[in-house]
Amino acid sequence: MKIDLTDTTASKINKALVKGRREIGTPAVGMVLTMVIVTDEENAYDSIKAAEEASREHPSRTLVVIKRVARTPRDRTNSRLDAEVRVGSDAGTGETVVLRTYGEVTDHADSVVLPLLLPDAPVVVWWPVNAPENPVKDPLGALAQRRITDMYAVENPLLALEARSASYSPGDTDLAWTRLTPWRSMLAAALDQSRTKVTSAAVESEADNPSAELLARWLEARLKVQVERVVTAGPVVTAVRLGTKSGEIVIDRPEGPLATLSLPGQPSRTLALKVRSTSELIAEELRRLDADEMYAIALRGEGTKETPGHV
């Protein structure tokens, strides 16, 4: 069910949500969080689709803030809020409200979003593109327990990585880090099997890949070794090599969804290591809303008190 509202207010949007739920018989009590997506018109469709797919695991109210750019001085003085309310099958397993802001309302989107948040529920803000330099100081970011950015969406990812490092606050995370979860799990499992100290390491990837840089910094912090960055044709991260006294531990994924794991003295084995969809990444981030300490360590390249040579 879809309800279109033109030149509206947050109060009228709330009434439309109640009306929609009543008409289709869907209660709001099953929703566990509010997800705010701040995007542009070009990326709105894909972002909404990813959020709706993630809502099958985490039923939520999704508020999509699309800040429309005024083309003339007159348009910039005309404040307006349009909304599209989606409930039922048109909104995954929760509710979706698409908010289009015009004029001065664009600079005060938080005042529109605040009355629409689910009471006593966590708030997650996701910027698929055009994330603020300091997410926690953004008016919308300040409302959230979790703030999700994506360095893959910027022109210079490594420059953005340094900006994220400088402005990091507990609750910040980035999908470039989330993409590494399968790699980190496999590396930890491989080292558990080998039970040997790592003396050298290398991460192979396409140039300027933020996930590869985060992975290298994480390995440096955890293993206390210098990690070599090796540029390949990609796509994304293609291999990790860990040198030990017994031989080399290698996870190699030159292309496709399969990787090869090689351990000293053991036959190579094939493992599933696909590039996951955005909806899978968002669903993973919504499983835990506390501070991601490992992301902070990787972002800043901080050392740990762990035994050198073990992840």
Side-chain angles (χ1 to χ4, degrees), residues 43-289:
N43 294 279
Y45 176 83
D46 289 338
S47 303
I48 294 171
K49 184 178 179 182
E52 289 178 352
E53 290 176 359
S55 75
R56 303 185 190 282
E57 182 177 339
H58 310 276
S60 59
R61 173 176 289 178
T62 302
L63 307 176
V64 185
V65 180
I66 301 175
K67 299 180 179 182
R68 300 298 297 266
V69 178
R71 297 180 179 177
T72 66
R74 181 179 178 182
D75 289 339
R76 284 192 286 272
T77 61
N78 291 332
S79 298
R80 194 174 91 233
L81 172 66
D82 294 343
E84 181 183 313
V85 178
R86 306 178 186 179
V87 293
S89 59
D90 289 312
T93 59
E95 302 170 338
T96 299
V97 181
V98 182
L99 304 165
R100 290 181 170 85
T101 62
Y102 299 81
E104 294 181 359
V105 180
T106 299
D107 298 325
H108 304 282
D110 55 314
S111 64
V112 176
V113 166
L114 188 59
L116 301 176
L117 302 178
L118 289 172
D120 303 320
V123 178
V124 176
V125 178
W126 171 33
W127 293 270
V129 294
N130 301 325
E133 188 168 314
N134 192 339
V136 75
K137 290 188 177 180
D138 180 84
L140 288 171
L143 301 174
Q145 286 76 40
R146 193 72 156 183
R147 295 166 295 276
I148 305 173
T149 54
D150 191 355
M151 285 181 273
Y152 275 73
V154 302
E155 186 175 349
N156 191 328
L158 298 188
L159 189 63
L161 191 153
E162 297 307 326
R164 296 280 177 270
S165 176
S167 66
Y168 173 81
S169 181
D172 291 354
T173 192
D174 196 281
L175 295 185
W177 173 248
T178 318
R179 291 180 178 94
L180 292 173
T181 300
W183 283 93
R184 291 167 54 213
S185 299
M186 288 186 182
L187 287 167
L191 287 171
D192 283 343
Q193 293 180 56
S194 297
R195 295 291 180 181
T196 183
K197 182 179 177 180
V198 175
T199 56
S200 65
V203 173
E204 301 180 3
S205 76
E206 62 190 1
D208 298 328
N209 183 275
S211 292
E213 180 60 25
L214 285 170
L215 182 56
R217 293 186 183 192
W218 176 70
L219 288 171
E220 285 177 340
R222 303 295 285 179
L223 301 176
K224 303 295 191 297
V225 297
Q226 186 69 36
V227 177
E228 183 184 1
R229 280 73 160 170
V230 180
V231 176
T232 65
V236 296
V237 180
T238 55
V240 175
R241 303 179 186 275
L242 305 178
T244 73
K245 293 180 180 179
S246 305
E248 198 172 48
I249 300 170
V250 180
I251 298 179
D252 187 26
R253 186 191 63 182
E255 60 182 358
L258 299 178
T260 302
L261 171 63
S262 303
L263 298 173
Q266 298 184 30
S268 298
R269 68 191 78 169
T270 301
L271 303 172
L273 193 58
K274 68 172 185 176
V275 176
R276 296 182 294 165
S277 67
T278 303
S279 62
E280 291 174 299
L281 301 175
I282 292 297
E284 178 184 326
E285 284 300 333
L286 298 183
R287 289 182 199 129
R288 51 172 293 179
L289 300 180

Side-chain angles (χ1 to χ4, degrees), residues 7 216 283:
D7 198 6

